[in-house]
Structure formats: C-alpha cells, structure tokens
Amino acid sequence: MRGALRMQQAPAERSRDFRGSVGRLLRRLTPQRGLTLTVVVLAVLGIGIGVVGPRILGHATDLLFNGVIGRQLPAGLSKEQAIAAARERGDDTFADLLSGMNVIPGHGVDFGAVGRTLLLALGLYLVAALLVWLQARLLNVVVKRTMLTLRADVEEKVHRLPLAHFDTRQRGELLSRVTNDVDNIQTSVSMTISQLLTSALTVVAVLGMMLSISPLLTLIAVVTVPVSLWITRVITRRSQKMFVAQWRNTGRLNAHIEETYSGFTVVRTFGHRAAAREKFAGLNDDVFHAAFGAQFFSGLVGPATMFVGNLGYVGVAVVGGLHVAAGQITLGAIQAFIQYVRQFNQPLTQIAGMYNTLQSGVASAERVFEFLDEPEQSAEPPRELAVGAGPPRVEFDDVTFGYVPGSPVLEHLSLIAEPGQTVAIIGPTGAGKTTLVNLLMRFYELDAGRILIDGMDTTTVSRHSLRTQIGMVLQDTWLFTGTIAENIAYGRPGASHDDVLAAARAAHVDRFVQTLPDGYDTVVSDDGGALSAGEKQLVTIARAILARPRLLVLDEATSSVDTRTELLIQRAMAELRRDRTSFIIAHRLSTIRDADLILVLDGGRIVERGTHAELLDRRGAYWEMLRA
Amino acid sequence: MCESSGMLLALLRKYVRPYRGLVAMVMLLQTISTLASLYLPTVNARIIDDGVARGDTGTIVRLGGVMLAVTALQVACAIGAVYFGSRAGLGFGRDARAAMFHHITTFSEHETTRFGPATLLTRSTNDVQQIQMLVQMTFTMLVTAPIMCVGGIVMAVHQDAGLSWLLVISVPVLAVANGLIIRRMLPIFRRMQRLIDAVNRVLREQLSGIRVIRAFARESVERDRFRVANTELADTALAAGRWQALMLPVTTLTINISSVALIWFGGKRIDAGHMQVGSLVAFLSYFMLILMSVLMATIFFVMLPRASACAERITEVLSTPAAIAEPVRPVEPHGPRTGLVELRGAGFRYPGAEMPVLHDVSFTARPGTTTAIVGGTGSGKSTLVSLICRLYDVTGGTILVDGIDVRDQATEELWSGIGLVPQRGYLFSGTVADNLRYGLAGATDDDMWEALRVARADDFVRAHPDGLGMRVAQGGANFSGGQRQRLAIARAVIRRPSVYLFDDALSALDVHTDAAVRANLRQMAADSTVIIVAQRVSTVMHAEQVIVLDNGRVAGQGDHATLLDECPTYAQFAESQTVGAVAGEQR
C-alpha cells in the first residue's frame, strides 16, 4: 500500500535569520562579481559628479552676482578701493560682501565665463546621466541573471528531492516560491540595491567632510545613529516575522487556489464552491493581516529615524551656536556643518524608508533558500548499470519496505524474473503491487533486502542509468503541454518522426489522431479535455513502446481503454514483450493470463505463484479472485 | 497604452472605492506631512540666521523645539498615513484577489480549459500583487509628489513669471519622454506576465508528472524545458529593465539641462535688470523641489506599465462570462428528487469542431435501475456524463433530471442531487476525513465508515494507524489508482445522491471489488438512479439497461442478453472479453 506517508508534517520551522539570508542573497550576486564591481564603481563616480554639479552651478550664480555688483561700482576702481570706499560710507556689510567676492568694478556679467561654466556643468550632467544609465543597465543584468539562476536552482532541486517530499506538499506552495517569491526578491533587490549603495556612499562621503570640520560636532551628529539603529532593530525584529508570515500565507493561499482550480470539476459538482470560497476568504484574510502588520511596523522605521535624526540636528545647532558665541568656530564653518548634517541624515532616512521593501524581499529569499535546503535523496553512485545484450534478470531478495516506519507494506518479499519473462502481479487493491514497482524504479529506498538487476544491486548504480533501461506505463497518464507527437517522443529523445509514427501505430494512437484536425500536431495538456482518458493512456503506451526499454513495467496501463482496443494493443505488446523482461499489474484477466509467471500478492506477501493454468488448478486465491 | 491604463483605472475605481474614507485620510495626512516638510527648511534657516549666527542659544533651543514639534507632527502624520495607506492598499489587493477567485469559480469547463489553470493561478495572485504594489506606492508618494510639484511650480511662477516658460518646455518634454518609454514597455510586460504563466505551467506539470519524469529519467529534458521558459522570462525582464534603466537618467538629465538653461536665461534677465540674483537662487531651489517630485513620480511610472498589463489580464478574466449560465428563474422540482434522468435527442459539439461528439442520444434512466454506457475509446461516453451534470450544455436536444431541463435548474441545486465519480478521482490534500466531508459537510465518523464500507475502502483506511485521519497528498498521489477510486466513490456515496454518475470509475478496481461495490451500492441506494460508464462486460451485464455508443451515436440499447443478439457492436465488445465473461458466468 502506498497510502501512508513517510513524513507526517512539514518539518518544524527552522530558526530564521535575517542577516544570514541577506548574506546568502548577496553571495548569489557574486558570480557576477565583475559586473557588480563595475556597478559600484559607476555609482561612486555618479555620486562624485552629483556632489560637484551643484557647486559648478553655484559658481555660475556667483559669476552672475559678481557681474551685478561689479556693474554698480564705478569703472576703473580696483576691488580694494571699492571696499575701502564702502567702509568709508560706513557700509561694513557691503564691504565684507565685496571682500569675499571676485568682482571687477565697472564690469557687468561676464557671459563668456558664465557660458563656459554652464557648458562644463552640462557636460558633467551628461556624463552623470550616462553613468547612471550604464549602472542601471548593468545592475539590471546582474539582478535578472541572479533571478534566472535562482529559479533554475529551485527547478533542479525538484529533481533531487525524494518522492516522499511531494507527498506532503501542495504544488501551489512551491509554485508560489518560484513565481511570487522570486518576483518579490527581484523587485526588492532592484529597487533597493542602487539606492542603498548611493545612500551608503553618500553617508561615508559626508561623514568625511564633517570630520574635517569638527570632530566634536560630528560625534554629536553621529551619536543619534546607534539610537536609530536600535529603534530599527526593535521594530524590524517584529516586522521581519510578519513579512515571513505574509509570504508564507501567500504560499498557502496560492496552494489553495491551485488545488481548487486543479480539482475544479469535483469542487463544483460536490457543491463545494461555497466552502472553497470560505476557505479562500480565511486564507486571504491571513495574507492581509500579516501583510498589514508587516507594512505598518516596517513603515514606522522611516518616521522614527527621521525624528531621531532631527534630534541630532537640533543638538548640533545648539552646541554649534554655543561654539560660535564662544568664538571657537567660524560662522561659515558651522553653517556648512549644519548643511552636512542634513545631507547625512537624508540618506539614512532613505535607507530606513526602503526597509520594508528590503525586509519583504529577504523574507521571500528565506523561503526560497529554505526550499533549496530541503534534504535531498541519497547521492547518486557514479557507477552505471551496464546495458546487457539481452533482457535483464530481475531479483527481489528478501525485500521489506514501509512508507511509515514500523508499518511495513512489503515483508520479506522475494521473487525472480528470468530474462525475457513476463511477470504478472495481481492482488486486491492495497496489496502492495504499485509499491513493488515504486521500489523497482527506486522511487523509494528499501528498509531491508536488495533488488538486483543482472546480479547488480540497484542501490549501487545511478538512478538515471537504472531508469533509462526501464520503460514504464503508469495508471496515471501524464501529458505535458505540447503536441501529441512531442508527448510520444518523450519516450526517446532524438527519435525520428518515423519511429514516433511506428510507436503511435502500435499503440493505436494513430486511429484517433487521424480524426483530429491538426493530427499529431494537436496540442494537448494534462488538464485539457481534447483527449479522453483512454486516449491519453494510449499516448503514454506509445511513449513506452518508443522507449524500447529492456525492462517493461505496465501498471494498469490499459484500465481506461475499451476492451477491443486493448486486445489490439495486447498483440502489439506481446510483440514488444518478446525480447524483454516485463512486469504487468492488471485486473483484467485477458491481460495477465499469458504471463510466464503470475504472482498473487496479498497483505505485502506473495501468497501464490505459478502460471495461469497451474493457479486455476490449485483453486486457491487466484481462482477465487477470478470468480467474481 | 490608453486602453490598458483605462482598464487599470476602472479596476482601481471599482476596488478602491470601498476604501475612499481611508484614502481621504491618507491624502490629508500626506498633505500635512508634505506641508510640514516644506516648512522645515524655513525653520532650519531661522535657526542658522537668528540663532547660530548670533550665538543666541535661547533662540536655537526655542526654534529647535519648534522644529522637533513640526517633526513630531510629521512623524505622527507619516505613521497615520502608513496605517491607513496599508489598510487601503492591502485591502484593495485582498478584494481584487477575492473577486478573481469568486469569478473564476463560476467558470465552466469551457473557460477553465480556455485559460488553463496555470495562468488563472498567476492572474489570481501575481498579477493582483503587481497592481497592489502600485496602489501602495501611490499612497506613499503620489500624494506627496503632486503637492510638491504644484507647490514648487506655484512658488517658482510667483518668484519670477518671466522664467516660467522654461517650465512650459521642460515639463512636456519630461512627459513625452517618459510616455514614449512606457509605451515601449507595455508590450514587454504583457509578454512577461505570459512568460510567468509559462514558468508556472512547466513547473506545475513537472510536479504533477514527477513520477513519470523519474520513470523515464527525463530530468535533463525537463531541465531544458524549464530553461527555455526561464531564459525567455529572464530575457524579457531584461528587456523591460533596459527601458526602465533609461527612465531615471532621461528624467534627471532633462531637469539638469533645464536648470543650466535657467541660470543662463536668468543671468540675461538679471543683466537686463528684470530680476534679482536672490530670486534666481530661490527659483533654482523651487526647480529642485519640482525635480524631486518628478523623480518620485518616475518610480511610480516605472511600475505603471507592468500594472497596466496585469490589469488587462485581470479584466480579461473578470469580463469573461461563464458559458454555463445560471437560469434567471430556476425551476425547482415538485417534491423530493427521485433521480429520473431523461435524454431527448441530446447532441454535443465542441465549439469550432466539425463533427459532433454526441449525436441524437435518447434514453431514460429510472430510479432504482442501473444504466450502463459502453463504447470504444473516444466514443463520447465521458461527454455524456458531463452533459448530465451540466459541465457542458447540450448543443442539440434536451436533458431532463427529475422532469426538468437541467438548464432550467439552479446548478448548485442540480449538483446536490448528483454523486459524480470522475474518471480521475481527484482527491484534495488533507486527510481521508477531509475528503469525505467534501461530499457531506457535517458527516459523522459513522457516516464516513459507512460510505467507506460501501466503496470497499474501509479495509485499508482501518488498517492505517491514523484511520480517518490518514493523510492524503494533493491529487491523492500517495494512493494507488484503486484506492483513489474507492475513496472518490466513498466521497460520492456519503452524499446519498439520487443520481450516481460513475465515469469509468470502477476500471482500476479488480473484478471482485468492482462487483462488491456495485452490490453494496444497490443495497444501500435501492431507489437511486445509477449510471455507469464502463469497459468491462462483467460490470455492465447485470445492468437493467445498456447503452452502446459508437462514434457519438447510440448503436444499441437494451439489456445484456438482448444486445448480445441484436447489436453487433455490443456482441463484439463482449466477445473481446469472453474469458472474463466466462469467469463471470461461473458465479
């Protein structure tokens, strides 16, 4: 019985670590090291120009001012004479003003100089725009590449997880991580990273300038930073949890939506629409509440930091004022310093303001990393299963297995399929038939015993080499979105069109495909209604026929196919089985009676074995089953 | 562009409306906060001029107090704005998601097949999320930006109207430049959302086909398939990003060039004596204020095209009516449902298909009897079942349940009398009990065990340590096909419907179990109508009535014995299973 689950519940939530996830996210950028470095360099240059630009404009304004003042003064005077004249008039303020300027009395605005200055500014602005543009383009490449690999990693991880993992998870949950979470990381990284960079660099530059003016005042201004950091920590410790909850709840909601849409026919016809909507409303509310809490709490960081920053500003003004009064510092210096304090606080507030976006992204990153950290199936042995010349010999040697520890589904089961034999397995539902196949395919690992193919323990060879030699048709048909031809060709990549057609004919796919307007190019999907269940089964049989495996496993492969078609397929299968070892699970007598060996399975044990005739003669379990 | 932003606007109008009180609060608080931040520089200047410059500590402390009070007000407003803004923005998202889910769950097979579950999933979550982000962004900056911008413009014009013509040039230039970029981005984002669908679809298929993929060892093929979808998505995101990267530099450059021009032309005016230098400096600082607000708005405009593309996709879903419409005036059956099913010349043709799937099918299935439907693969058996429970509407003839055309009955009401066991017994993740409660909400443990007994599923559920609490993986992936079908049967049985519809639902059961389930059912639901689509002669031979379908037409109708004599198609069908039939006759 496949029923039980090895893992009962999702593993307990691991302690989540904001800083760890940030570090890991940053490390994901390192493959683009060169690009990332270029982005940083471009940002530094851009900020440099950003600082210089206004100064040059300021110089242009000065030139204008010089011209305006200069024209008021009589020509021929030197600057010194003009100052002296002003002092004589008792106009000390004007004299002071003049002394600080570069005026030539009698000269109006020097538009040549103004023009040159403005051209310089224009050039710098052009360069700055170019730098910003380049930086944004490169950053775009870095971020998008990182997201590409992140999504690819998740997809590859899927194929390394043990099958049991998927028995306990909803599809929509994982899908949410790949679409919603990765999307959120992308938005948050591209929105914050250049801002963070710019802000951090600005802070450093301004700090240097402040230190050069007054270490004491710098200390007062900077003393508020730890306070801001502390407040930020207090708030974000709460909001981080809420962000994680927001994206976890989004995943749950996504899972519910996905499941409802997947099983929609049942949802509707069982009158379960109202209940599905009710559950949706509950989960939707959970997303809302978590998201609201996260947004609100993280939204407090910005205003709080701004307030603390302003406290520092006032502090500097007070102390600075005292210093000026005491003559310890010049007015100009203190004015400049206060400007810098503003420039210092601004980027800090900006960083704080982006905190919610950042935290949200990190919460999503945590969820993606959490998936990437799930325990994987045991490592692949490097050894390949040798491809023998003929059909393989398969041996189950004292196999014991249970999905839940302590309740075995198969107990001490041994069987041998000689090369070229067809072994039919029958038994009541839940006897362990499908489990047998699952173990042969190494979907699950044995608890005890061995499975040998040509004498080789299957756990000592790579899964890939094992499975490529087995062709399997499952009861559950599975078609991916693509044409019918593509779905058949899935059995053997690189198969020629003729091979595909031959397989299709053998599986009697050809007959109904001819009636479709697009023939083999008809696009089908797993959910779509273009094909009936029986037709889907035929396509999957064609797939297995095309694969030409040495070992064929048919698990209720024709249960939805009508008996007439089945009979025809059977002939094709008989052909197919001729030089192969085959395992067949079926309920229909017609399918199993030609088998070389029939195993009757019940309660995880083989209760009878023999050929059809032998078993009928015995009048045991097999005979009993056929009497129905 | 216009059309899609129109859709966005319509969507916003509809779903933001309930929060207009909150939005008004946000506007008010943001206005106060913005005014405060406009006032703060004045206080700063006075602290320097009146306090620091004069060494007047008293004034510094007093003005510092004013400044802190203004900041405190600003902080309070900001917190309030975040509170109301988040409520409104996230409320919008919640309501839009709910509207999507609500609408999609009214869809019939036509619409769900047309869209596909992958895209419906993306549209219900990711697409709504994009618009929600835009809304939140709007609340945090788009209120501030216009105030600052308008304030800046008013002050600038007030300062010197003679230079205002520069605004008349630079503002339209900005608008046109950004407009052109956005227009280019819109189709890219449309494609991007489609590609997110594609990534979703490929991964969803991989998850549901994981066993087949592993069985065929096709991990590398799947990886390639995913890589194609993933790379396409990344390339498209890259293309969108390239245009986005252009927006900020273009905006800043335009504004910076304007400020350079401002000084040049301002200088001329000063030289001509029309303007003071101080005015020019003030004008410049207001210009910078406008710059800041435009920069803020740019972030909004960067998000606009994606949100517009998402709005289109959401509107497309919301404006698609379900093909299966609820009757305007539903007819209710007189008295309790008996389960009488009548088909009168029922026919069905898929939209656009040349050949009908079903043609002129007539029969009556009476309460207390079993009607079996047999036919070759693709002969229209499943379609017939879908028509009876109105998953599709007939394209010819009528189908009556309890004497009333199914199209005249409220669908929920119709379904409440039907126990459908679909071909793929889709189970939901949860426990066995959860799945049974799907059939009957208030089912007791006794109800459940009884239903399991009828479906012959009680043995393996009882054998499991968790019993009814046994876990079920999504789609029932952790069960064998037979177990899954039996649970699906139990889920239908627990409803005690008047009509049972088995869509080839007994095929995965062994002959023994199949017979036992039918016997149990006959015993428990003696008065119900049972319609069974089947492949096995042993399943159909004891039915009161057998309908033989061939290429969508009724090729024979009657009981087993009659059909063996009269219907060559049926005789052939039976003959192909002679061994089974012989085994059946041994009883």
Side-chain angles (χ1 to χ4, degrees), chain A residues 1-5 8 57 64-65 68 71 111 118 125 129 133 136-137 140 144 148 151-152 155-156 158-159 161 166-167 170-171 175 178 180 183 187 191 254 258-259 261-262 264-265 267-270 272-273 277 280 284-285 288 291-292 295 303 310-311 313 317-318 321-322 324 331 334-335 342 377 429 441 443-444 467 472 475-478 480-481 490-491 493 526-527 533 535 559-560 562-563 587-589 593 626 628, chain B residues 44 48 52-53 57 60 67-68 71 75 83 86-87 90-91 94 97-98 101-102 104-109 121 124-126 130 133 136-137 203-206 208-209 211 213-216 218 222-223 226 230 233 237-238 241-242 245-246 249 256 263 267 270-271 277 280 306 377 391 412 415 420 423-424 426 428-429 438 464 466 471 473-474 477-484 486 491 495 507-510 512 535 576-577 579 583:
Chain A
M1 178 184 68
R2 272 200 294 170
L5 301 177
Q8 288 297 307
L57 281 192
L64 288 178
F65 198 43
V68 171
R71 199 173 38 196
F111 276 100
L118 289 181
Y125 280 137
W133 180 61
R137 272 191 79 129
N140 179 33
K144 302 294 150 65
L148 177 80
R151 277 192 297 262
E155 192 264 351
E156 290 192 9
V158 165
H159 300 298
L161 284 171
F166 302 100
D167 291 346
Q170 286 172 282
R171 283 200 293 258
L175 291 178
V178 176
N180 296 332
D183 209 22
T187 311
M191 270 176 74
N254 209 52
E258 200 272 342
E259 203 162 355
Y261 294 173
S262 295
F264 195 42
T265 308
V267 171
R268 281 188 305 158
T269 51
F270 277 75
H272 219 264
R273 205 149 58 178
R277 283 175 183 169
F280 174 88
N284 200 15
D285 271 344
F288 172 80
F292 174 70
Q295 284 296 335
N310 275 327
L311 270 180
Y313 181 86
V318 171
L322 291 173
V324 171
L331 180 58
I334 194 71
Q335 276 184 343
R342 286 210 70 75
Q377 58 189 11
T429 311
M441 300 299 289
F443 284 160
Y444 298 86
R467 290 170 186 165
M472 186 176 181
Q475 194 170 3
D476 297 322
T477 56
W478 176 75
F480 61 86
T481 310
Y490 198 79
D526 209 35
D527 312 286
E535 288 164 346
S559 60
S560 301
D562 70 278
T563 39
H587 294 307
R588 291 187 193 166
L589 181 60
R593 62 175 173 169
L626 292 192
Chain B
N44 280 336
I48 293 171
V52 177
T57 324
I60 296 177
M67 184 178 161
L68 284 183
T71 317
V75 167
Y83 182 86
S86 304
R87 275 205 103 78
L90 296 166
R94 178 184 59 184
R97 268 194 306 271
F101 188 78
H102 205 268
I104 290 169
T105 45
T106 64
F107 276 1
S108 72
E109 308 282 311
L121 179 63
S124 304
T125 55
N126 194 292
Q130 300 310 324
M133 264 164 56
Q136 279 181 281
M137 191 65 85
L203 195 64
R204 183 170 172 270
E205 281 179 358
Q206 289 188 3
S208 52
R211 280 182 161 80
I213 293 165
R214 295 199 178 181
F216 279 91
R218 288 291 171 272
E222 290 302 326
R223 210 165 288 149
F226 187 81
N230 194 13
L233 174 59
L238 209 59
R242 273 200 285 274
L246 203 57
N256 283 331
I263 291 178
I270 290 169
D271 198 43
V277 177
L280 181 67
R306 187 167 181 193
T377 305
L391 296 179
E412 295 277 342
W415 291 331
L420 172 72
Q423 216 157 22
R424 267 193 197 186
Y426 194 92
F428 295 88
S429 58
Y438 227 89
H464 192 271
D466 294 335
R471 288 201 64 83
Q474 185 173 8
N478 58 326
F479 289 100
S480 75
Q483 290 173 323
R484 208 179 311 155
R486 287 194 268 175
R491 181 173 60 189
R495 289 161 70 80
S507 60
L509 305 183
D510 57 89
H512 214 78
Q535 308 285 358
S576 67
Q577 302 176 49
V579 188

Side-chain angles (χ1 to χ4, degrees), chain A residues 289-421:
Chain A
H289 288 302
F292 174 70
Q295 284 296 335
F296 180 64
F297 273 99
S298 63
L300 295 181
V301 174
T305 315
M306 186 171 75
F307 188 72
V308 174
N310 275 327
L311 270 180
Y313 181 86
V314 173
V316 166
V318 171
V319 178
L322 291 173
H323 274 66
V324 171
Q328 287 162 330
I329 197 167
T330 66
L331 180 58
I334 194 71
Q335 276 184 343
F337 192 88
I338 287 178
Q339 283 309 316
Y340 284 129
V341 173
R342 286 210 70 75
Q343 284 183 27
F344 179 72
N345 280 333
Q346 209 172 16
L348 285 184
T349 316
Q350 260 171 8
I351 294 178
M354 284 179 313
Y355 220 84
N356 52 357
T357 315
L358 190 70
Q359 272 194 307
S360 179
V362 172
S364 280
E366 272 180 22
R367 279 170 50 78
V368 176
F369 293 145
E370 180 191 54
F371 178 74
L372 292 178
D373 291 342
E374 289 286 343
E376 298 182 4
Q377 58 189 11
S378 60
E380 288 278 46
R383 203 140 69 106
E384 301 267 303
L385 180 63
V387 184
R393 179 179 189 272
V394 181
E395 181 178 357
F396 279 60
D397 179 19
D398 199 27
V399 168
T400 299
F401 171 78
Y403 294 95
V404 182
S407 61
V409 178
L410 295 178
E411 282 181 279
H412 305 292
L413 185 137
S414 296
L415 69 91
I416 293 171
E418 295 297 342
Q421 265 194 343

